[in-house]
């Protein structure tokens, strides 16, 4: 048996054959575009132009001096910190509250989970309409209650807060469901034993339930972080990045440069910086979780 | 190795087949009807007038069938650039209501120059009958890239009932205008119950430039050098920013659609807008007054708006697309369109018999385009002008903001003067 036929056989291994379609799809639709965007980020690349000037790291250098990019970094950072924390904490609180299955808790679980099913764009359109300062329902209610509602999305100090609120509202159901499932898996005898040892409700939660929930908490945190860092739809629909760039996230800025001004090289550079950021943040989160597991 | 290559090739071929990537058979039958697709953003009350025009064209041209797909402007702005730049998309489209966007499409090599169709007589594109401002806006590097889908000027709409209640007359001068805006604003404690005017500052056909022009100010000159920080301009911006910030004559941060909603809901007494808005305002039950933009130190002025109608570079039906443009801007079509829509005709040699057209046509001789003929106009609008109005209506000192805007404009246009 020659090595050639051996390799041939190995390649013909049914496992590879079964994998091939998926691998091909990943290669064509994910790997190739990612690599190509890396290549584009090293050029002054405009769609439709016949030649693209090689600029090396020029786009990246321009990016680090770009005030609007720094603003987008801050906006995205603040949004991510607040929504991830809000989403996970509120999700945990809801999960604890709705732990026992009754008809009321089932109803409420569905209600809280519902926004997760809708897309960000739909959620954004609905909230924008509700929060309209002149014809929106929210300010009309506030008016009936005797106060004047603020410009939720037009006030520079308030717009990001509003978007974050909607982001939490949209994501909390997901965290809640994941944590609820994990809560069902906490063995009753552990809680029973803690009770016998004289642990109060807080101690039961702190010393028994929370450690059992760690994998689920990690999962929701990582997913929420990655989603938040890619914030786009909500901002695009609700504020268009305004007022005065106060809600312009990294991806919203990428869209402006790449798909409004057609500077695809520069936009690709932004995408790569974001990619590296997400990679680092996810790695840190996983590392923290692992070190806890070891201890 | 070789067998793996074969398998790979077979798989790719299979996938491509499955995805239906084969090119469709093209018919060369001379009697076949040529289908042209057209994307436009005419979602407003003026939509039926455009649809009728397309219907008339199809009826009189049995070998061409134009299908108009009407979508919101921002949907077109999302889809068309990518579609045209990659050789797909419709044969014809109105890329934006702002002609400045044409420069972006020229940059991506997406537009067909129309010069070969330009000439005199029927069947040709009579570009010399278009208002000069239109040709300036649609010509880039000496080539004409679009025909006007429509032509409009902005007027001052006002709510007659609110004016009567306040005992006010239609404002004729810039001073009367500012005074009316102030007087028509009503407050209860902190809350504004009625705004004097509904001003939009983004996602709209700009109205703030008119306020500057009225006073003799401007944004940028023909060479691309900023004029926005000059005294006449700063004075106008200061007056109106003060009216918005201190007297709360208008809500801040409105889009064009927000501004229309406010006026339609009878929560504002005045709005500067174009002919497309009239039908909607009347439908909302407003006793509608239509006046020319008030006259200030800068003389009579208003903003001209013209929607470019362009041909995609990769169209397979160039001749038919050009024929459509020539017909659309021809005498017969324009007379019919103007009568039906209330828009002034896009030709200077056609007069409409529709009395509604008069106030808009009256504005034409002194109507100006926003940032005309500047390749960088979309960037100036998005990165400088819109943020500037946003800042000064939120209380930032006007003079410093205008100076910063002027520097930013000069940097974008490369003006060194």
């Amino acid at each position: 048996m020659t090595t050639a036929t051996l390799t041939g056989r190995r390649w013909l291994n049914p496992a590879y054959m079964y994998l091939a379609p998926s691998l091909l799809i990943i290669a064509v639709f994910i790997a190739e575009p990612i690599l190509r965007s890396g290549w584009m980020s090293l050029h002054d690349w405009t769609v439709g132009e016949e030649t693209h000037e090689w600029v090396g790291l020029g786009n990246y250098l321009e990016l680090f001096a770009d005030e609007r990019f720094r603003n987008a970094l801050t906006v995205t950072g603040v949004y991510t910190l607040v929504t991830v924390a809000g989403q996970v904490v509120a999700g945990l609180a809801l999960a604890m509250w709705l732990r026992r299955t009754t008809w009321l808790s089932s109803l409420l679980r569905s209600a809280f989970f519902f926004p997760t099913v809708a897309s960000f764009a739909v959620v954004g359109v609905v909230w924008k309409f509700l929060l309209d300062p002149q014809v929106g329902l929210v300010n009309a209610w506030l008016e009936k209650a005797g106060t004047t509602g603020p410009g939720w999305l037009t006030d520079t100090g308030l717009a990001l807060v509003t978007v974050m609120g909607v982001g939490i509202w949209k994501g909390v159901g997901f965290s809640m469901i994941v944590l609820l499932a994990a809560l069902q898996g906490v063995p009753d005898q552990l809680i029973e034993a803690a009770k016998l040892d004289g642990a109060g409700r807080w101690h039961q939660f702190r010393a028994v339930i929370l450690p059992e929930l760690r994998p689920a908490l990690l999962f929701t945190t990582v997913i929420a972080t990655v989603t938040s860092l890619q914030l786009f739809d909500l901002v695009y629909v609700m504020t268009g990045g305004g007022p005065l760039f106060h809600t312009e996230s990294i991806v919203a800025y990428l869209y402006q440069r790449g798909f409004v001004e057609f500077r695809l090289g520069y936009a690709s550079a932004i995408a790569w910086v974001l990619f590296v950021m997400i990679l680092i943040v996810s790695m840190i989160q996983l590392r923290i979780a692992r070190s806890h597991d070891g201890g | 190795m070789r067998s793996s290559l074969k398998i790979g090739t077979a798989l790719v071929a299979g996938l491509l087949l499955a995805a239906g990537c084969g090119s469709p058979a093209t018919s060369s039958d001379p009697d076949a009807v040529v289908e042209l697709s057209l994307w436009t953003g005419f979602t407003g009350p003026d939509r039926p007038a455009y649809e009728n025009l397309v219907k008339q064209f199809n009826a009189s041209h049995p070998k061409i069938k134009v299908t108009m797909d009407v979508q919101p402007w921002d949907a077109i702005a999302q889809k068309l650039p990518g579609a045209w730049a990659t050789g797909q998309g419709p044969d014809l489209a109105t890329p934006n209501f702002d002609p400045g966007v044409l420069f972006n499409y020229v940059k991506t090599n997406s537009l067909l120059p129309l010069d070969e169709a330009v000439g005199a007589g029927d069947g040709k594109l009579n570009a010399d009958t278009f208002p000069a401002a239109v040709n300036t806006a649609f010509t880039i590097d000496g080539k004409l890239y679009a025909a006007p889908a429509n032509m409009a000027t902005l007027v001052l709409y006002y709510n007659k009932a609110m004016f009567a209640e306040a005992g006010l007359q239609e404002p004729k001068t810039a001073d009367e205008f500012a005074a009316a805006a102030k007087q028509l604003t009503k407050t209860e404690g902190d809350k504004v119950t009625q705004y004097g005017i509904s001003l939009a500052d983004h996602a709209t056909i700009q109205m703030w430039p008119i306020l500057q022009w009225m006073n003799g100010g401007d944004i940028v000159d023909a060479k691309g050098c900023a004029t926005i920080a000059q005294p006449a301009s700063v004075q106008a911006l200061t007056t109106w920013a003060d009216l918005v910030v201190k007297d709360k004559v208008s809500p801040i941060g409105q889009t064009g659609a927000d501004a229309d909603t406010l006026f339609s809901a009878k929560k504002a007494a005045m709005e500067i807008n174009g002919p497309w808005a009239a039908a909607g305002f009347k439908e909302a039950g407003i006793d509608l007054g239509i006046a020319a933009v008030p006259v200030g130190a800068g003389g009579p002025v208003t903003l001209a708006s013209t929607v470019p109608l362009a041909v995609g570079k990769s169209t397979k039906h160039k001749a038919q697309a050009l024929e459509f443009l020539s017909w659309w801007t021809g005498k017969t079509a324009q007379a019919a369109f103007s009568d039906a829509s209330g828009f002034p005709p896009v030709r200077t040699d056609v007069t409409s018999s529709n009395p509604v057209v008069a106030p808009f046509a009256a504005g034409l001789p002194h109507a100006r385009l926003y940032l005309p003929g500047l390749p960088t106009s979309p960037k100036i609008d998005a990165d400088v002008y819109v943020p500037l109005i946003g800042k000064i209506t939120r209380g930032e000192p006007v003079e410093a903001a205008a100076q910063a805007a002027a520097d930013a404009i000069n940097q974008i246009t490369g003006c060194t003067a």
Side-chain angles (χ1 to χ4, degrees):
Chain A
M1 207 181 268
T2 64
T3 37
T5 52
L6 192 74
T7 7
R9 285 255 175 93
R10 214 182 268 156
W11 270 99
L12 277 173
N13 186 327
Y16 291 117
M17 297 287 286
Y18 286 124
L19 281 176
S22 312
L23 285 178
L24 193 75
I25 288 171
I26 290 173
V28 171
F29 292 106
I30 298 178
E32 197 267 351
I34 289 178
L35 293 176
R36 182 178 297 209
S37 83
W39 180 243
M40 284 165 116
S41 76
L42 303 173
H43 294 78
D44 183 2
W45 194 296
T46 304
V47 192
E49 268 180 356
E50 313 225 321
T51 54
H52 308 288
E53 192 197 339
W54 171 269
V55 293
L57 293 177
N59 283 325
Y60 292 92
L61 294 176
E62 186 184 339
L63 200 55
F64 293 127
D66 185 341
E67 254 178 65
R68 236 170 107 183
F69 180 66
R70 252 179 271 159
N71 169 62
L73 272 180
T74 315
V75 168
T76 311
V78 171
Y79 176 88
T80 303
L81 277 178
V82 174
T83 47
V84 171
Q87 209 170 303
V88 173
V89 171
L92 184 58
L94 286 176
M96 290 298 290
W97 178 38
L98 302 172
R99 193 162 31 142
R100 306 257 167 270
T101 306
T102 63
W103 67 269
L104 181 67
S105 73
S106 306
L107 189 77
L108 288 174
R109 281 180 202 170
S110 312
F112 287 122
F113 187 67
F114 185 71
T116 310
V117 183
S119 75
F120 269 110
V122 170
V123 164
V125 169
V126 170
W127 275 104
K128 185 182 156 92
F129 190 60
L130 288 174
L131 293 172
D132 188 289
Q134 310 305 336
V135 296
L137 209 53
V138 173
N139 279 11
W141 282 336
L142 287 176
E143 204 172 300
K144 274 207 184 124
T147 56
T148 313
W152 297 100
L153 295 167
T154 50
D155 186 321
T156 47
L158 200 58
L160 184 59
V161 178
T162 307
V163 174
M164 290 191 296
V166 174
I168 294 175
W169 176 83
K170 161 96 166 79
V172 73
F174 177 73
S175 308
M176 178 195 73
I177 286 292
V178 172
L179 294 170
L180 259 175
L183 268 178
Q184 318 284 354
V186 178
D188 281 340
Q189 63 264 36
L190 282 185
I191 300 175
E192 203 67 26
K195 270 188 197 161
L196 288 175
D197 285 343
R201 288 187 138 237
W202 170 247
H203 266 99
Q204 289 172 33
F205 174 73
R206 177 79 188 74
V208 181
I209 297 177
L210 211 53
E212 289 288 316
L213 288 182
R214 182 168 297 133
L217 280 172
L218 175 74
F219 174 72
T220 52
T221 310
V222 171
I223 295 287
T225 308
V226 172
T227 317
S228 301
L229 284 172
Q230 299 180 50
L231 168 69
F232 174 71
D233 329 33
L234 262 191
V235 162
Y236 183 80
V237 172
M238 290 179 78
T239 63
L244 295 173
F245 314 120
H246 277 74
T247 60
E248 190 171 67
S249 65
I250 298 177
V251 183
Y253 182 53
L254 180 158
Y255 177 83
Q256 171 70 24
R257 288 287 183 252
F259 299 100
V260 178
E261 295 169 22
F262 304 107
R263 289 189 63 195
L264 279 196
Y266 197 66
S268 298
I270 299 177
W272 272 82
V273 172
L274 180 63
F275 169 67
V276 171
M277 276 172 48
I278 293 180
L279 195 69
I280 293 173
V281 171
S282 308
M283 270 164 56
I284 292 173
Q285 286 177 332
L286 289 169
R287 178 64 58 81
I288 292 172
R290 211 173 296 151
S291 71
H292 276 279
D293 281 351
Chain B
M1 270 319 270
R2 195 172 288 170
S3 54
S4 69
L5 201 71
K6 266 186 199 159
I7 294 167
T9 321
L11 275 172
V12 172
L15 267 182
L16 287 181
L17 266 182
C21 284
S23 55
T26 41
S27 137
S28 54
D29 179 5
D31 289 331
V33 174
V34 171
E35 304 245 356
L36 290 180
S37 53
L38 163 67
W39 289 4
T40 64
F42 301 124
T43 52
D46 48 339
R47 174 178 179 160
Y50 299 98
E51 285 173 339
N52 267 331
L53 212 51
V54 171
K55 222 180 269 173
Q56 283 175 37
F57 177 83
N58 286 339
S60 56
H61 296 74
K63 281 196 181 171
I64 308 176
K65 182 169 184 285
V66 178
T67 311
M68 180 162 74
D69 184 4
V70 182
Q71 334 179 12
W73 287 113
D74 51 350
I76 293 183
Q78 280 168 37
K79 291 190 283 181
L80 191 64
W84 269 2
T86 52
Q88 302 161 50
D91 299 289
L92 298 126
T94 55
N96 201 292
F97 53 80
D98 175 9
V101 166
L102 287 178
F103 286 97
N104 284 346
Y105 284 88
V106 169
K107 207 163 72 182
T108 62
N109 212 2
S110 301
L111 301 184
L112 186 80
L114 310 178
D115 299 278
E116 63 180 85
V118 173
D122 285 350
K124 283 282 183 187
L125 200 55
N126 309 147
D128 53 352
T129 66
F130 303 157
V134 168
N135 285 321
T136 313
F138 295 169
T139 304
I140 299 171
D141 294 333
K143 289 182 192 150
L144 186 71
Y145 280 104
N150 67 21
M151 177 81 210
T153 61
L154 303 197
V155 294
L156 181 68
Y157 288 106
Y158 62 96
N159 186 316
K160 281 185 181 167
M162 290 180 188
F163 270 72
E165 194 199 14
L168 284 173
Q169 297 294 314
E170 177 179 304
K172 299 277 186 210
T173 68
D175 293 339
E176 287 172 19
F177 183 33
K182 205 164 158 177
Q183 214 174 323
L184 287 159
T185 304
K186 290 189 199 162
T187 51
E188 267 171 32
D190 270 357
K191 193 178 157 45
V192 181
T193 52
Q194 176 184 304
Y195 290 99
I197 186 165
S198 187
L199 290 170
D201 63 12
H202 69 287
T204 185
I205 289 183
Q206 288 293 355
M207 30 194 102
W208 277 82
I210 301 181
L211 304 175
Q212 293 175 256
W213 292 336
M214 264 167 48
N215 199 43
D218 203 352
I219 301 165
V220 61
D221 66 16
K223 279 179 277 174
C225 293
T227 51
I228 194 158
Q230 289 177 2
S233 168
V234 171
Q235 192 189 31
L237 291 173
T238 309
T239 305
W240 283 93
D242 277 353
L243 282 170
V244 172
V245 175
K246 294 186 187 141
D247 301 306
K248 301 199 170 79
V249 300
S250 167
I252 54 166
Q254 294 195 105
T255 63
D258 294 340
D260 293 350
T261 308
L262 192 76
F263 186 78
S264 296
K266 299 180 189 166
K267 285 190 162 189
M270 297 186 279
E271 189 188 353
I272 298 174
N273 209 335
W276 52 84
F281 291 160
K282 281 178 191 155
E283 225 164 79
I286 290 169
D287 188 2
L288 193 64
I290 301 181
V293 170
V295 182
V301 71
T302 186
L303 186 128
S305 151
T306 174
V307 172
L309 180 54
V311 182
K313 187 153 203 170
S314 44
T315 177
K316 293 190 183 69
H317 310 295
K318 190 172 138 187
Q320 289 82 0
L322 292 176
E323 190 177 345
F324 178 70
L325 286 190
S326 304
W327 183 86
W328 181 283
T329 54
K331 270 187 185 170
T332 326
Q334 280 307 310
F337 174 71
S338 184
D339 287 348
S341 66
F343 277 67
V346 301
R347 302 169 64 100
T348 47
D349 60 354
V350 173
T351 348
S352 176
S353 56
N354 185 344
V356 175
V357 177
F360 302 101
L364 277 177
H366 47 255
R368 295 161 68 171
L369 286 162
Y370 173 57
L371 306 174
L374 280 176
T376 47
S377 64
K379 199 169 169 61
I380 296 176
D381 177 60
D383 289 4
V384 184
Y385 195 73
V386 169
L388 169 71
I389 303 303
K391 281 178 195 162
I392 62 173
T393 51
R394 287 177 174 85
E396 273 196 32
V398 175
E399 196 157 1
Q403 190 53 55
D407 295 344
I409 289 173
N410 288 340
Q411 206 193 347
I412 291 172
T413 59
C415 162
T416 48

